[in-house]
């Protein structure tokens, strides 16, 4: 789980594995999302998967971001550490 093996920081590029709901199914399915960490709270991590190339442009409606509950996260792998 996030926080044990690897503590992501804002701006890091990460791969997040998480269990997601399934429509009309009986079990959760494990998914992975790749992106830049925008925010981390006690309850969730927010990752931008489509963002501006210029890191100084603040996120807006053109940035695709996903907020994933920490309880659903199976693993967070660091791809690139933020400067």
């Amino acid at each position: 789980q996030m926080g044990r093996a690897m503590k992501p920081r804002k701006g890091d590029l990460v791969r997040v594995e998480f269990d997601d709901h399934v429509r009309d199914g009986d079990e959760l399915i494990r998914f992975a999302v790749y992106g830049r960490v925008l925010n981390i709270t006690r309850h969730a991590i927010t990752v931008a998967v489509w963002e501006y190339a210029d890191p100084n442009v603040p996120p807006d409606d053109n940035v695709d971001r996903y907020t994933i509950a920490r309880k659903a996260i199976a693993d967070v792998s660091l791809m690139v550490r933020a400067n």
Side-chain angles (χ1 to χ4, degrees):
Q1 271 213 342
M2 186 174 81
R4 288 187 193 155
M6 188 274 199
K7 293 185 178 183
R9 298 188 308 225
K10 190 172 181 178
D12 286 350
L13 290 176
V14 295
R15 177 182 188 271
V16 180
E17 277 190 27
F18 62 98
D19 294 324
D20 199 4
H21 70 283
V22 177
R23 182 177 178 161
D24 297 328
D26 295 328
E27 297 191 21
L28 300 174
I29 294 181
R30 177 101 7 122
F31 282 89
V33 65
Y34 300 80
R36 184 174 312 279
V37 176
L38 291 181
N39 192 34
I40 303 169
T41 69
R42 282 185 22 212
H43 303 290
I45 181 172
T46 302
V47 179
V49 299
W50 184 269
E51 66 175 350
Y52 293 103
D54 181 349
N56 297 314
V57 177
D60 60 20
D61 289 343
N62 285 322
V63 175
D64 281 348
R65 55 189 171 260
Y66 296 91
T67 299
I68 305 163
R70 280 185 174 225
K71 289 182 179 184
I73 294 174
D75 185 57
V76 178
S77 302
L78 177 66
M79 295 169 51
V80 177
R81 180 65 81 186
N83 292 333

